[in-house]
Amino acid sequence: MANKNIYTGTGRRKTSVARVTLTPGKGKITINGHDVEEYFTDKLLVLNLCQPLEVTKTKDMFDITVKVKGGGLSGQAGATRLGITRALLAFDATTPSDSENSFRKILKVEGFITRDARKKERKKPGLKKARRAPQFSKR
């Protein structure tokens, strides 16, 4: 039997995948068993992933557990943000989406619902990187 007070969301960014679980609590965020400040040493990344909580004013309502893998820290923070957004949408699923204070409307305006699909472009044959050609030598 599933607990009705647990909300989940999956976020992806670049090559990172984050599985986010929201449970009622005091606002503690745990990522891969570590505190959020310990895992993401850059304060900007922590601010970035907390944005959906601040916009919806739910920062102290949930304890958040995140399992994230792949990519670098920036991609993992972006994936976590999208996962938190999707979990918040699952929490607020009963509110009509056209009402003024629905999470969907609030988060959509801020641009948090859209997945950032940008990825690294593949390397092409004969080039050093995706578009970087070898240096031209006249002689």
Side-chain angles (χ1 to χ4, degrees):
M1 185 175 132
N3 191 338
K4 291 190 187 316
N5 292 336
I6 295 178
Y7 305 97
T8 59
T10 305
R12 292 180 191 88
R13 170 83 175 95
K14 293 187 177 181
T15 57
S16 303
V17 180
R19 292 181 313 182
V20 179
T21 307
L22 266 68
T23 51
K26 302 268 190 276
K28 184 173 174 24
I29 302 174
T30 310
I31 300 175
N32 291 352
H34 300 279
D35 185 58
V36 67
E37 305 286 339
E38 190 182 313
Y39 191 83
F40 292 119
T41 51
D42 188 357
K43 299 277 184 246
L44 213 62
L45 295 177
V46 176
L47 284 173
N48 183 24
L49 72 89
C50 289
Q51 282 178 326
L53 298 168
E54 288 164 8
V55 169
T56 56
K57 298 174 181 69
T58 54
K59 194 158 177 70
D60 300 326
M61 276 177 63
F62 300 106
D63 283 343
I64 300 171
T65 308
V66 182
K67 294 257 196 289
V68 66
K69 62 182 178 185
L73 290 180
S74 175
Q76 289 186 351
T80 304
R81 182 174 90 168
L82 183 61
I84 290 171
T85 300
R86 288 182 173 170
L88 285 170
L89 290 176
F91 164 72
D92 195 49
T94 56
T95 308
S97 59
D98 58 343
S99 91
E100 272 308 305
N101 55 354
S102 77
F103 284 2
R104 181 162 202 79
K105 194 166 218 166
I106 295 166
L107 293 166
K108 185 76 173 167
V109 168
E110 296 293 326
F112 297 147
I113 294 176
T114 308
R115 183 223 196 273
D116 191 347
R118 294 176 296 169
K119 286 188 174 181
K120 187 176 170 114
E121 190 175 338
R122 80 172 193 85
K123 184 189 176 301
K124 315 298 185 311
L127 300 181
K128 290 189 174 292
K129 291 168 62 177
R131 299 180 185 221
R132 169 76 173 105
Q135 186 171 357
F136 174 76
S137 173
K138 197 176 236 181
R139 284 174 199 88

